[in-house]
Amino acid sequence: MVLTVYFDMLSQPSRSVLLFCEVNKIPYEKKVTHVGGGDNRTEEFQAINPVMRVPAIKDGDFVLSESAAILKYLAAKHNTPDHWYPKDIQKRAKVDQYVAWHHMNTRENSIRVFWTEVIIPMMRGREVDQARLQRQLPALEETIDRLEQVYLKDQQFLCGDDITIADILAVPELMQLYGAGRNVTENHPKLTAWIERVKNKLQPWFDEFHTPLYKMRQKRLKGEKAKL
């Protein structure tokens, strides 16, 4: 039974699932699903995920979507090291607590800014709506403050002193903003140190899977300099 991962490398949750498979040596086949090209709207993919979002997996006859659910499933099935999704109910509850908070905070506030700065201008061929952006930035800054002051207040990772699925979900979201040319870690030393710790735990795959974001950042910064 071969695990197939349907993904788009520009999808933050897709990178989370790919990273988890690689670092835990879970055998899998890659199925590139370009959302921008409409691959997620084909009949073939809708049979895997009717809501037409990546990532998704097919494990034999079993199909599953939503990155958090996928990570928990893979951790259980492949008996990955306990730190990823602890069996201790209190430690696991802390991971679940962050994951529940993640979707309406780290993910939502990051992706809104990314869409305003990158996706909408690219799709509509116009400049960034600065008024819209300024309305969104306070929520992003509040999220970053919460990450530092609550989740990273006195520990190395979001849910303790070792990496969990919470960290592998969170960092790719912030890296999306890095790709947009934004320095989310500026004036946030705890956030900066945490991201570096997560990167180090996930190398060499972290840099490999984030190469499109690194290239995007270089292109955008070069474009901004050309306007000066």
Side-chain angles (χ1 to χ4, degrees):
M1 184 167 61
V2 178
L3 172 70
T4 302
V5 178
Y6 297 78
F7 72 97
D8 184 327
M9 202 61 85
L10 287 177
S11 155
Q12 306 91 305
S14 288
R15 296 195 300 273
S16 296
V17 171
L18 293 175
L19 286 166
F20 189 80
C21 287
E22 293 288 356
V23 76
N24 286 292
K25 297 180 173 56
I26 297 172
Y28 72 103
E29 292 183 351
K30 294 179 181 178
K31 181 70 173 179
V32 178
T33 308
H34 289 301
V35 174
D39 292 352
N40 59 315
R41 297 184 177 276
T42 64
E43 289 186 10
E44 177 189 0
F45 185 73
Q46 288 186 56
I48 300 297
N49 186 6
V51 301
M52 298 179 288
R53 293 182 179 179
V54 291
I57 63 170
K58 188 172 189 294
D59 194 16
D61 294 328
F62 179 69
V63 295
L64 188 65
S65 59
E66 298 300 327
S67 55
I70 292 170
L71 293 175
K72 292 176 183 180
Y73 168 77
L74 293 176
K77 178 173 181 180
H78 294 275
N79 194 28
T80 59
D82 191 66
H83 63 83
W84 286 109
Y85 194 50
K87 292 181 177 62
D88 179 279
I89 61 171
Q90 292 185 352
K91 291 180 179 179
R92 176 172 288 198
K94 286 295 185 180
V95 176
D96 289 336
Q97 173 183 269
Y98 173 78
V99 171
W101 183 83
H102 170 85
H103 294 288
M104 295 298 291
N105 292 275
T106 309
R107 175 154 176 75
E108 180 170 322
N109 292 324
S110 296
I111 204 169
R112 282 183 175 181
V113 171
F114 184 78
W115 268 76
T116 298
E117 288 194 303
V118 178
I119 303 299
I120 293 175
M122 181 176 63
M123 291 174 62
R124 299 181 181 176
R126 64 190 191 192
E127 294 296 315
V128 174
D129 183 337
Q130 291 296 331
R132 176 189 176 107
L133 179 62
Q134 292 307 313
R135 289 195 299 270
Q136 294 171 337
L137 288 176
L140 175 62
E141 188 62 28
E142 181 179 352
T143 291
I144 291 172
D145 286 342
R146 290 286 176 84
L147 287 172
E148 280 204 315
Q149 297 170 14
V150 177
Y151 290 98
L152 297 170
K153 181 180 179 181
D154 54 7
Q155 54 193 19
Q156 298 291 296
F157 295 89
L158 294 179
C159 301
D161 290 324
D162 207 344
I163 193 170
T164 69
I165 63 170
D167 304 281
I168 212 170
L169 283 169
V171 170
E173 298 292 344
L174 300 177
M175 291 302 296
Q176 203 81 353
L177 296 172
Y178 179 83
R182 183 167 290 278
N183 291 319
V184 295
T185 59
E186 188 174 8
N187 299 319
H188 293 286
K190 285 187 177 181
L191 192 78
T192 302
W194 163 66
I195 290 175
E196 287 304 312
R197 283 192 291 271
V198 174
K199 283 183 179 182
N200 290 336
K201 289 276 190 178
L202 301 175
Q203 296 292 19
W205 308 284
F206 189 94
D207 283 341
E208 176 185 342
F209 294 159
H210 285 86
T211 294
L213 275 299
Y214 298 155
K215 291 181 178 179
M216 180 189 293
R217 180 180 177 84
Q218 291 175 349
K219 183 177 180 180
R220 289 181 64 80
L221 293 179
K222 184 177 180 180
E224 289 177 7
K225 287 181 180 179
K227 294 178 182 179
L228 298 177

